[in-house]
Amino acid sequence: MRAYAVNSFTEPLVEIEGADPQPKGTEVVVEVSRCGVCHTDLHLQDGYYDIGGGKRLNLADRGIKPPLVMGHEVLGRLAAKGPDAPIADSEVGKSFLVFPWIGCGECEVCKRGQENLCAKPGSLGVFRSGGYATHCVVPHPRYLVDVTGVDPSIAATYACSGLTAYSALRKLDIDKENDLLLLMGFGGVGMSGLQVAQGLGYRKIAVAEIDAAKRELALKHGASFVVDPRDAGATAVLAEAGGLAGAIDFVGAKATAEFAIAALRKGGIYIAVGLFGGDITLPLPPLVQRAITVRGSYVGNLVELKQLIELVRTNKIAPLPVESLEFAAVNEALDRLRTGKVQGRLVLAREI
Ligand SMILES: [Zn+2]
Ligand SMILES: [Zn+2]
């Protein structure tokens, strides 16, 4: 097998070669044909998250150490199964989307189906080798999701960007017909957010974005209206549109969080999803008096991914614009993502 790995943090990925993996126990091996490139990979490549105040959350302290094969939007052909893998032989050779947010599988959180919140995560492309490779080992076939009939490049993006948006939207408790929903940031996940929100039936969806070209794109994709959060009048525009009931922050920066939390109407909810980094000060009396909710949402669980694929299958969700690149162009893809000049999602693709 061949893979592209982070050999030392901050450096470009390097190609590595090894023997094809042989599945043990319940493991299955997927021959990778698509792998989406995600903003999270930039943090993994850098080796840290910015947690504000000049402080860093170092990945090495969380047990993430090079060499690291990233890539968590993995789709491919089931190539081999371990002796104890509970999946029919007839499934070998078929294509599947891989659920990457794998936990220990044994704790109460995992047993409740919230593996993405397990205290001992084993996520693909983060804590174990992911899809920037010809082959990817998956610990159990239950993580394989049937996406027959869905374009493989688009299907790959549902494992992270689609699922992250879907799971965050499910945490909102607002009136889909009448309440105003604000999506902050219109990168790949933000765009997924708009499409999934429309698919779920939200009718009043505003998008806040500092890049004029991305604001245009948001309007083209069905946003009710757009704002530049740096405009002095942006908060007033939201208030005039009925007040902000819910905000999903796909950026997760100090400026976006402060803007959205300040703009919430009483009883509103702010959900942080993006990992840009930074910190905020949250005065407590207004939190109480305005009865607002401030919470985070991290990727999503396996049931949510299957629900999302079902929505896609019933044509409720418009496909995300994806641009395909060769696997060998992975460093170029990461660099382009770093400069923020990507509209939609980049997906590495190979025919197998
Ligand atoms: Zn991701
Ligand atoms: Zn667990």
Side-chain angles (χ1 to χ4, degrees):
M1 71 170 285
R2 278 174 294 112
Y4 296 90
V6 176
N7 249 351
S8 74
F9 290 132
T10 75
E11 299 280 313
L13 311 196
V14 293
E15 190 171 353
I16 56 175
E17 220 163 318
D20 284 357
Q22 301 301 321
K24 298 185 289 289
T26 62
E27 289 175 351
V28 290
V29 173
V30 170
E31 190 179 359
V32 183
S33 67
R34 298 289 187 284
C35 191
V37 182
C38 179
H39 206 273
T40 293
D41 294 333
L42 302 179
H43 295 292
L44 294 173
Q45 188 181 21
D46 290 343
Y48 70 91
Y49 289 98
D50 170 11
I51 52 173
K55 286 180 291 208
R56 289 176 167 191
L57 175 68
N58 286 312
L59 298 180
D61 298 338
R62 295 185 63 208
I64 301 172
K65 294 193 173 89
L68 167 66
V69 178
M70 305 190 295
H72 51 261
E73 290 186 339
V74 187
L75 181 140
R77 194 176 63 89
L78 175 57
K81 49 176 272 206
D84 307 320
I87 185 166
D89 289 339
S90 57
E91 298 295 291
V92 176
K94 288 187 184 167
S95 248
F96 293 94
L97 176 63
V98 183
F99 173 78
W101 311 111
I102 295 168
C104 72
E106 282 159 16
C107 71
E108 286 308 311
V109 176
C110 283
K111 282 183 184 154
R112 274 205 307 270
Q114 294 182 306
E115 291 196 50
N116 56 314
L117 302 181
C118 176
K120 287 185 201 154
S123 316
L124 281 182
V126 184
F127 291 96
R128 67 175 85 223
S129 289
Y132 294 163
T134 54
H135 297 76
C136 180
V137 178
V138 181
H140 196 281
R142 71 169 174 269
Y143 302 115
L144 303 179
V145 178
D146 181 5
V147 287
T148 309
V150 185
D151 177 283
S153 293
I154 294 163
T157 69
Y158 294 127
C160 179
S161 65
L163 178 60
T164 297
Y166 179 74
S167 184
L169 284 159
R170 272 176 40 107
K171 294 178 174 81
L172 290 170
D173 182 20
I174 67 174
D175 183 330
K176 291 177 184 172
E177 284 287 326
N178 301 304
D179 282 344
L180 177 63
L181 167 64
L182 175 69
L183 309 178
M184 308 264 331
F186 206 64
V189 187
M191 192 182 284
S192 283
L194 179 57
Q195 290 171 325
V196 176
Q198 291 174 98
L200 288 171
Y202 287 91
R203 292 290 164 260
K204 289 175 71 178
I205 311 168
V207 170
E209 166 62 57
I210 57 173
D211 181 327
K214 288 182 179 168
R215 284 200 300 276
E216 274 304 305
L217 198 65
L219 286 173
K220 221 176 83 189
H221 281 85
S224 309
F225 64 93
V226 291
V227 294
D228 181 342
R230 296 170 304 185
D231 284 351
T235 306
V237 171
L238 298 173
E240 279 159 25
L244 184 56
I248 300 183
D249 186 351
F250 293 106
V251 184
K254 183 183 183 69
T256 51
E258 285 178 345
F259 174 86
I261 292 169
L264 286 180
R265 73 179 190 197
K266 284 188 177 179
I269 175 167
Y270 164 83
I271 303 177
V273 168
L275 287 162
F276 183 87
D279 60 356
I280 56 166
T281 303
L282 194 63
L284 293 172
L287 178 76
V288 176
Q289 290 154 343
R290 295 169 63 211
I292 59 171
T293 303
V294 174
R295 67 164 299 173
S297 181
Y298 178 65
V299 295
N301 63 43
L302 181 57
V303 169
E304 288 171 328
L305 180 58
K306 289 179 177 173
Q307 290 169 343
L308 173 62
I309 297 301
E310 206 42 51
L311 277 178
V312 172
R313 281 240 179 79
T314 50
N315 297 318
K316 296 265 174 27
I317 297 176
L320 189 71
V322 296
E323 183 187 336
S324 296
L325 288 102
E326 303 273 333
F327 273 72
V330 62
N331 282 311
E332 181 196 325
L334 291 166
D335 289 345
R336 281 180 54 194
L337 208 56
R338 209 175 272 282
T339 58
K341 294 296 170 205
V342 177
Q343 293 194 340
R345 202 73 163 167
L346 296 177
V347 175
L348 305 179
R350 80 156 69 82
E351 296 315 317
I352 54 172

